[in-house]
Amino acid sequence: MTGTEMQSAKAPDSDPTPTGLGDITRRSVVGFAAAAAAGAFLTAGARTSPGVDWSLNKMWDTIVIGAGASGLGAARVLADAGKKVLVLEARDRTGGRLWTDSTSLSIPFERGAELVHGNAVSTWGLIEQQGLATHRWENKYAKYNVSDSRFIDAKNVESFHFPQGAPSYPNGVPQPHNGETAEAWLTRIGVPRSNYPISLLVIEGDSEQFDVLPAIFVLGDFEFALEMQSESGVMPPEAYGDYRVIGGYKQVLQPLAASIPLILNSPVSSIDYRKKNRVEVQVGPSTYKARTVVLAVPGGVLKNGDITFNPPLPAARQAALQEILYLPVFKGILEFDHRVVAADQTVQPDWDVLVGFDKNPPTIWNASEGTPGYNGQLIVTWMTGGKAQELLDLAEHERHAAGLETVRKLVGDPGLEYVGASTYDWSKDRFARGAYPGPFSRRSGLNTPIDNALFWAGMTTSTVHSSRNSGAAAADQVLTALG
């Protein structure tokens, strides 16, 4: 339902594919304001941090390119291992596609990544370390059509039931043909869209729509729904759940950046790795030198050729980069001057997620619950895939109008008006070139080091914790090479 951190079916990036309405949100992509923790957070023109040698003749053990979750994850491991690390960041802030905007609306909100996917992920320790407050999503509801008389609670097994009756397959569920879309496969096996369980429909809100999504991405969810037909009542509580960080997701990454030399406003134009044990990184007129480099920039940036390499990357790597495909993602944020309560009395006043599958965008979620002293409400409007692109192709005010219409219909308040709004198209961001990879994106063959000089992190990860993990893995490779 919710995407990019609200996912029921997505291509893996080392995380298992979530299943069912309970995973309604998995990724809310991106956000991190430029906040210096306790280190040398400097702009490109201000190399004056005491105790740090900013001479261009300095030889670093590693230069990390990119200060998102993967880059900072790599830098933290290397710095803790005693290596001399420099981070170069193209933006005027850290965090990459984790971007907490603290100025545009009344309270901080996330333009990109929003959710921590469980309290067992690698970033949870950073939350505990800082004593950050979180809000766990508990109250999630969906309707097939916004005009339906009632919501179905995600906690109820009914969300897995087929509204027109479950199909029967005495010889087992027919398997998808190679390349068959989910829509074509479901039609072939006798399941029209009007008989999809809600647990299947949520997949479209966090991935591609079924007319293009490969059937293999929904097969497991479909088989699980069949197994649930004899069940009723309330689902067991989720083991981990999804969490929002109160006050801004940007806080989570601060311990990773602490005391690490970092230069902002420094887009890398080229990397020369011809010489043994020496890599030269070009930023404007300045050249930085290191024994190794970790590239922790989005795959779309590398695919676009924004950084050139001397010698050119091997042909196989260049081909692999061209097969990185990003998913269209629409995320609009509407601010209301009061708490928005649904007219349906079965919906809790502190609802977290509401969905109406016949609207575009179909999904809204409460992005301000738990914020101390705040009497208004921020609501995110959300969609992914081709339907998201339809919204992104609209003028900004038209996107918000579509989102407001969904909110009005879902809460039952036709006169509702917002007092502030914001949205961001990550595909137009030259330092991202997309929100996160979709189901057709290549993910293999991208992280193998080249010449023990170039190491790779992030690129096709789609959650903050998997990005941080990717950076740590790259750092371990670097340590082996430096060892």
Side-chain angles (χ1 to χ4, degrees):
M1 262 174 155
T2 308
T4 178
E5 294 205 297
M6 183 179 218
Q7 244 145 288
S8 167
K10 77 181 187 79
D13 55 47
S14 78
D15 301 324
T17 300
T19 306
L21 187 66
D23 297 304
I24 224 169
T25 302
R26 262 217 41 156
R27 204 181 358 229
S28 222
V29 219
V30 240
F32 196 48
F41 272 76
L42 306 176
T43 62
R47 302 183 191 92
T48 57
S49 179
V52 177
D53 178 7
W54 293 103
S55 165
L56 293 179
N57 293 321
K58 179 179 177 66
M59 176 66 73
W60 301 88
D61 291 318
T62 304
I63 293 174
V64 176
I65 301 173
S70 57
L72 294 178
R76 182 77 272 150
V77 171
L78 292 165
D80 289 349
K83 301 304 179 184
K84 298 188 291 293
V85 183
L86 173 66
V87 179
L88 299 175
E89 168 55 44
R91 303 179 188 275
D92 61 358
R93 59 175 179 82
T94 58
R97 287 168 291 179
L98 194 168
W99 179 10
T100 302
D101 185 330
S102 300
T103 61
S104 298
L105 299 175
S106 298
I107 62 172
F109 67 96
E110 310 302 340
R111 289 188 174 273
E114 183 156 352
L115 297 177
V116 183
H117 300 300
N119 55 18
V121 298
S122 61
T123 48
W124 194 258
L126 300 172
I127 293 172
E128 292 184 324
Q129 174 184 336
Q130 301 176 82
L132 301 178
T134 60
H135 171 73
R136 174 173 168 150
W137 279 9
E138 300 282 3
N139 300 315
K140 296 171 279 189
Y141 308 86
K143 289 182 175 183
Y144 287 99
N145 304 292
V146 293
S147 59
D148 290 349
S149 60
R150 68 185 182 90
F151 282 97
I152 294 176
D153 191 328
K155 299 189 188 78
N156 197 301
V157 174
E158 184 183 359
S159 63
F160 293 93
H161 290 175
F162 293 79
Q164 299 169 358
S168 177
Y169 305 103
N171 299 319
V173 177
Q175 297 299 290
H177 296 155
N178 186 36
E180 191 171 23
T181 67
E183 183 177 79
W185 171 65
L186 288 166
T187 299
R188 177 168 63 83
I189 66 175
V191 184
R193 186 175 183 86
S194 59
N195 198 27
Y196 290 0
I198 278 179
S199 62
L200 281 193
L201 288 170
V202 299
I203 296 171
E204 289 191 308
D206 204 41
S207 188
E208 268 291 0
Q209 283 71 68
F210 283 5
D211 59 340
V212 296
L213 185 69
I216 193 66
F217 281 84
V218 306
L219 175 61
D221 296 80
F222 181 81
E223 292 176 331
F224 183 74
L226 287 175
E227 295 173 7
M228 297 297 290
Q229 296 313 296
S230 61
E231 304 294 331
S232 62
V234 178
M235 294 283 291
E238 293 176 311
Y240 300 109
D242 290 311
Y243 299 79
R244 285 181 34 259
V245 179
I246 305 302
Y249 208 160
K250 68 181 182 181
Q251 303 166 96
V252 173
L253 297 187
Q254 289 178 355
L256 299 181
S259 303
I260 293 176
L262 183 152
I263 310 179
L264 301 175
N265 300 310
S266 299
V268 170
S269 58
S270 65
I271 298 174
D272 189 324
Y273 64 106
R274 290 173 298 175
K275 302 181 179 65
K276 183 177 177 62
N277 293 325
R278 175 166 165 163
V279 183
E280 296 183 351
V281 177
Q282 196 71 29
V283 177
S286 301
T287 302
Y288 299 92
K289 306 174 184 65
R291 296 170 62 191
T292 58
V293 164
V294 174
L295 286 115
V297 298
V301 171
L302 296 169
K303 176 181 178 178
N304 197 60
D306 296 336
I307 299 175
T308 59
F309 295 85
N310 188 19
L313 297 175
R317 183 62 58 88
Q318 293 185 50
L321 291 173
Q322 291 306 308
E323 293 175 13
I324 296 174
L325 299 174
Y326 278 71
L327 185 69
V329 172
F330 170 74
K331 183 181 186 181
I333 300 91
L334 303 178
E335 181 173 14
F336 300 89
D337 61 7
H338 62 281
R339 177 185 285 270
V340 177
V341 178
D344 188 330
Q345 297 300 306
T346 65
V347 174
Q348 295 293 323
D350 58 345
W351 59 270
D352 292 305
V353 180
L354 301 179
V355 187
F357 293 108
D358 61 337
K359 300 297 291 183
N360 189 27
T363 302
I364 66 175
W365 73 77
N366 185 340
S368 54
E369 188 66 34
T371 303
Y374 180 61
N375 297 319
Q377 186 163 337
L378 299 189
I379 293 180
V380 167
T381 62
W382 175 269
M383 190 51 179
T384 59
K387 290 292 186 181
Q389 190 59 56
E390 292 177 9
L391 293 166
L392 293 171
D393 289 341
L394 299 174
E396 186 168 321
H397 74 277
E398 294 175 314
R399 301 176 199 171
H400 292 316
L404 178 62
E405 178 65 12
T406 297
V407 177
R408 287 172 169 176
K409 292 290 187 181
L410 285 172
V411 303
D413 185 349
L416 192 64
E417 296 288 351
Y418 59 81
V419 296
S422 183
T423 187
Y424 193 73
D425 186 350
W426 286 95
S427 69
K428 302 291 176 53
D429 185 318
R430 69 189 182 101
F431 299 133
R433 301 198 181 276
Y436 56 86
F440 303 104
S441 184
R442 175 167 177 162
R443 288 170 169 79
S444 61
L446 294 166
N447 292 84
T448 304
I450 295 177
D451 292 350
N452 267 348
L454 304 182
F455 298 81
W456 312 79
M459 290 193 294
T460 57
T461 51
S462 55
T463 61
V464 175
H465 67 266
S466 62
S467 297
R468 190 253 179 117
N469 296 347
S470 175
D476 287 340
Q477 293 176 329
V478 171
L479 291 174
T480 298
L482 293 176

